[in-house]
């Protein structure tokens, strides 16, 4: 069952029925707020609803890639393997929606197109693409960080006679690759996961690679029932690891420097991590992403692995990455490099010979035309701000979020949760929060619980308008940038820095200080009565929580 009945007023409107929107709805409903989620898709799942491409799989271990707010839920759901596949995560989120009876307050097939703040009533007017609208005291975005697909402008796409798809908007029906000549543009996480699976089915696969990536074996395997029983029995410890660690998951980063081990010992450490799979290698030493020399040791190791795995030295050479390891998201794969040993796979370097156009028959680079039946864009997303910019969000004085964040080419938020000039507006895992560089479900739960506690406080104290101050957001944004500048992340062009989108201002919009530190800061703000925010009780303005 899903909600379609028209409502006029809600305490809170939540955008999106992914991990964020589902828990936000549950949490606010439990706290007694009238809430509705609006979702463009016809089902729950968010990013896991849209990303149905072959091989789609999470890179965080299943037992941590879930909610921890309900012990009962944790006991009732059983993951089947170490790294969950997209269909299994989608089943999990449907299970959550059913268990907590969430669908009755979710309106599917409805895209929020505009959200305007009315200063006379202190309410948000939320406009849907079907012409309906609703008024709400609070507007909460659960749009996620990676929901605005990036389809680069290639001349001639409309002339292409074959089928084409973007990994982030994959159809619900199976795409049949049998007997087909398939091309994939892009070798980020999505491309690297899809390529080995498509290669096994297609007649021929051509991979158009611009930047070779560092990818490590996931070493996925089914979970033994004893292991599952053990994790369920250890729920409290798993929850603690999720909620009180720097990464929000079970990954422990070793506290020694890569440079403190002699080369032979270091090699053994990397070999062991490579065999263990997952992100063992990224956490082998604490300084891999802050020290150039340390970084080189891991990068050299992975390059040596590529040369070992790929039999043709020319192809291996093309696959060797040469940016700072980990500064684009490190990837976990299943047989990615091995795929380039197959007879039916061709690797094309489009940095050397750029794509010129899409033709009716396929794709033309500066060197030649490739005939294709199916073309796949694994070209990523306009991350972090892109999902918010898809909606016409306007705060005080009719200023749009897009205008505000364009000015001076800089995004400004306080804690990644709020932004000045947009009262009663919250972003779950917004720009300048830890978001995608920690375990997303953990980051989401922390924001949902902080927002729920905040709304509870505002209700208890009769607060009408809750808005962060310009000073608080300036200070937070500056702090975020300073932390990022201490790392190697800022030295690489990536979607983290906005460099993947033409014309997008370049800045690093993820807080890198660690999830535990960040959570502590958010808790301090709440405990202080919301320092850094202005709280207005009816007509009386009160600065920084002194109400
Ligand atoms: P991505 O990492 O941004 O990769 C996009 C790829 O497309 C890159 O190889 C990029 O090359 C290439 N590309 C873009 N525009 C191009 C153009 N005009 N011509 C040629 N090549 C072009 O995107 P993604 O793979 O979708 O991954 C995005 C993020 O989603 C990941 O970093 C991760 O956070 C998340 N994700 C996670 C999983 C998982 O959990 N396992 C799976 C999928 C996605 P350049 O590098 O040269 O720009």
């Amino acid at each position: 069952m899903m909600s379609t009945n028209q409502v006029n007023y809600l305490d809170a409107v939540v955008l999106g029925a992914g991990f964020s929107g589902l828990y936000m709805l549950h949490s606010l409903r439990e706290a007694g707020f009238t809430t509705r989620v609006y979702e463009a898709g016809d089902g729950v799942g968010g990013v896991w609803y849209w990303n149905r491409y072959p091989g789609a799989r999470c890179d965080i271990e299943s037992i941590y890639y879930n909610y921890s707010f309900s012990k009962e839920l944790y006991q009732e759901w059983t993951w089947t393997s170490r790294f969950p596949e997209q269909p299994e995560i989608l089943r999990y989120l449907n299970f959550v929606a059913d268990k907590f009876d969430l669908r009755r307050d979710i309106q599917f097939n409805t895209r929020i197109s505009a959200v305007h703040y009315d200063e006379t009533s202190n309410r948000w007017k939320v406009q849907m693409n079907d012409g309906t609208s609703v008024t709400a005291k609070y507007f909460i975005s659960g749009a996620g960080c990676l929901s605005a697909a990036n389809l680069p402008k290639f001349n001639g796409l409309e002339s292409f006679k074959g089928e084409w798809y973007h990994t982030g908007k994959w159809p619900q029906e199976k795409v049949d690759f049998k007997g087909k000549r398939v091309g994939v543009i892009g070798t980020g996480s999505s491309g690297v996961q899809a390529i080995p699976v498509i290669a096994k089915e297609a007649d021929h696969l051509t991979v158009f690679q611009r930047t070779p990536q560092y990818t490590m074996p996931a070493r996925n395997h089914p979970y033994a029932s004893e292991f599952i029983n053990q994790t369920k029995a250890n729920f409290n410890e798993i929850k603690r690891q999720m909620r009180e660690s720097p990464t929000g998951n079970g990954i422990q980063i070793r506290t020694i420097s890569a440079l403190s081990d002699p080369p032979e010992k270091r090699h053994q450490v990397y070999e062991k991590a490579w065999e263990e799979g997952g992100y063992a290698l990224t956490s082998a030493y604490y300084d891999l992403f802050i020290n150039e020399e340390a970084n080189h040791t891991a990068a050299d190791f992975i390059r040596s692995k590529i040369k070992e795995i790929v039999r043709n030295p020319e192809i291996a050479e093309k696959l060797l990455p040469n940016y700072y390891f980990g500064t684009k998201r490190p990837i976990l794969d299943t047989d990615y490099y091995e795929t380039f040993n197959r007879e039916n796979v061709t690797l094309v370097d489009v940095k050397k010979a750029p794509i010129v156009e899409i033709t009716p028959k396929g794709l033309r680079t500066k060197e030649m035309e490739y005939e294709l039946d199916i073309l796949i864009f694994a070209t990523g997303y306009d991350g972090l701000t892109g999902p918010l910019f898809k909606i016409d969000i306007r705060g005080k004085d009719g200023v749009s979020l897009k205008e505000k964040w364009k000015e001076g080419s800089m995004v400004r938020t306080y804690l990644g949760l709020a932004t000045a000039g947009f009262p009663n507006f919250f972003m779950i895992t917004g720009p300048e929060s830890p978001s995608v560089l920690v375990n997303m479900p953990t980051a989401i739960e922390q924001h949902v619980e902080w927002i729920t506690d905040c709304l509870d406080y505002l209700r208890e104290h009769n607060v009408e308008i809750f808005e962060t101050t310009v000073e608080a957001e300036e200070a937070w944004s500056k702090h975020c940038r300073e932390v990022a500048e201490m790392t190697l992340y800022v030295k690489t062009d990536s979607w983290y820095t906005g460099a993947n989108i033409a014309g997008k201002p370049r800045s690093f919009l993820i807080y890198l200080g660690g999830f535990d530190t960040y959570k502590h800061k958010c808790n301090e703000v709440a405990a202080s009565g919301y320092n850094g925010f202005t709280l207005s009780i009816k007509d009386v303005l009160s600065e920084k929580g002194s109400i």
Side-chain angles (χ1 to χ4, degrees), residues 48 51 53 57-60 146 150 152 154 166-167 185-191 193 208-211 213 328-329 332 350-351 355 378-381 436 493 495-496 500:
W48 297 106
N51 279 260
Y53 62 85
R57 189 186 283 284
C58 185
D59 55 7
I60 301 292
L146 291 163
N150 169 38
F154 290 114
H166 189 286
T167 47
I185 304 177
T187 53
S189 304
S190 305
Q193 289 186 333
F208 300 97
Q209 170 196 268
R210 190 164 66 181
T211 308
Q213 295 262 27
K328 285 176 187 270
R329 189 180 182 88
L332 301 188
V350 296
K351 198 162 250 168
I355 299 169
T379 44
Y381 300 87
V436 292
D493 282 350
W495 70 261
Y496 291 154
N500 65 326

Side-chain angles (χ1 to χ4, degrees), residues 26-60:
H26 175 64
S27 184
L28 287 182
R29 247 176 28 183
E30 290 288 291
F33 293 97
T34 58
T35 308
R36 184 174 281 196
V37 172
Y38 292 86
E39 165 57 53
D42 68 3
V44 302
V47 82
W48 297 106
Y49 171 92
W50 299 104
N51 279 260
R52 295 164 192 258
Y53 62 85
R57 189 186 283 284
C58 185
D59 55 7
I60 301 292

